[in-house]
Amino acid sequence: DAGVIQSPRHEVTEMGQEVTLRCKPISGHDYLFWYRQTMMRGLELLIYFNNNVPIDDSGMPEDRFSAKMPNASFSTLKIQPSEPRDSAVYFCASSLGAGGVTDTQYFGPGTRLTVL
Amino acid sequence: KNEVEQSPQNLTAQEGEFITINCSYSVGISALHWLQQHPGGGIVSLFMLSSGKKKHGRLIATINIQEKHSSLHITASHPRDSAVYICAVRDGATNKLIFGTGTLLAVQP
């Protein structure tokens, strides 16, 4: 398997623009997680899905952020409008389970977002 | 106070040294993870444990549930071990992963 795939790897945009980050989880994994990593706050869970259904979005910072998972092999994280404080590395991860012995999370390479 | 605290924040070692990174947490957990983040940014899950000790190659992870403490040990350290090591706990009540701020390890040849 190719692992978790994220695109783009780097994104530079201007404040106010819409940004869409994409993730393809490992085939067969039922859970998908979106994380954000900044120097100030480290890694933070934004939202996670189970079988394409959002389970917990309490980490989503505000209404400008939205995430969807239209099918088992694709998820998007959208920021509209983007702001400079959204600059961070966004990681997608997937796992077989979310609480048991099979729940090792496999991380994608991340998308480095810079909002000017 | 952070729910997950790691120490030290930065660590420099000479090749061959035995290294210990500590993680303390304040919430009830169902599992604890150790992750490795390489300078290029990629994150790799090293261990998931809920009790006792696990070993993989030169890496050993231990956890003491009563003391709410875990350690990651690296034996015979090598420059390729240079990375950020992140402790994360799964909150037993919410099932969410809570991350420590990481320990930056530099192993010099």
Side-chain angles (χ1 to χ4, degrees), chain A residues 17-57:
Chain A
Q17 297 298 306
E18 177 179 293
V19 174
T20 299
L21 312 181
R22 298 173 176 80
C23 175
K24 177 178 166 52
I26 293 173
S27 177
H29 282 190
D30 291 333
Y31 287 83
L32 183 141
F33 306 81
W34 281 102
Y35 294 96
R36 178 173 67 176
Q37 186 178 40
T38 61
M39 289 292 292
M40 291 294 294
R41 301 171 67 94
L43 269 167
E44 301 173 281
L45 175 65
L46 300 177
I47 184 171
Y48 78 92
F49 295 82
N50 178 22
N51 291 325
N52 313 338
V53 176
I55 301 302
D56 186 344
D57 65 354

Side-chain angles (χ1 to χ4, degrees), chain B residues 3-109:
Chain B
E3 292 164 305
V4 181
E5 298 272 358
Q6 287 186 236
S7 64
Q9 288 188 315
N10 295 280
L11 180 58
T12 300
Q14 292 298 121
E15 184 173 357
E17 285 185 2
F18 180 82
I19 289 164
T20 296
I21 299 171
N22 296 299
C23 175
S24 297
Y25 52 91
S26 58
V27 297
I29 70 168
S30 56
L32 182 143
H33 299 252
W34 281 102
L35 309 170
Q36 180 191 53
Q37 186 168 26
H38 288 283
I43 296 176
V44 175
S45 179
L46 297 175
F47 294 104
M48 186 198 73
L49 63 165
S50 54
S51 65
K53 177 169 109 174
K54 285 191 176 179
K55 184 176 189 294
H56 186 259
R58 294 180 294 107
L59 302 178
I60 303 167
T62 64
I63 187 169
N64 185 318
I65 295 294
Q66 287 72 31
E67 294 185 3
K68 294 189 174 180
H69 180 268
S70 175
S71 292
L72 177 67
H73 305 285
I74 304 175
T75 62
S77 59
H78 190 276
R80 64 175 176 266
D81 297 326
S82 300
V84 175
Y85 291 84
I86 302 169
C87 171
V89 302
R90 184 170 300 285
D91 187 308
T94 66
N95 217 30
K96 286 184 181 178
L97 271 183
I98 307 169
F99 294 88
T101 53
T103 295
L104 176 60
L105 171 66
V107 181
Q108 297 177 342

Side-chain angles (χ1 to χ4, degrees), chain A residues 62-76:
Chain A
E62 48 197 273
D63 291 345
R64 296 184 298 106
F65 286 69
S66 62
K68 294 182 180 179
M69 192 164 185
N71 56 64
S73 59
F74 184 66
S75 176
T76 59

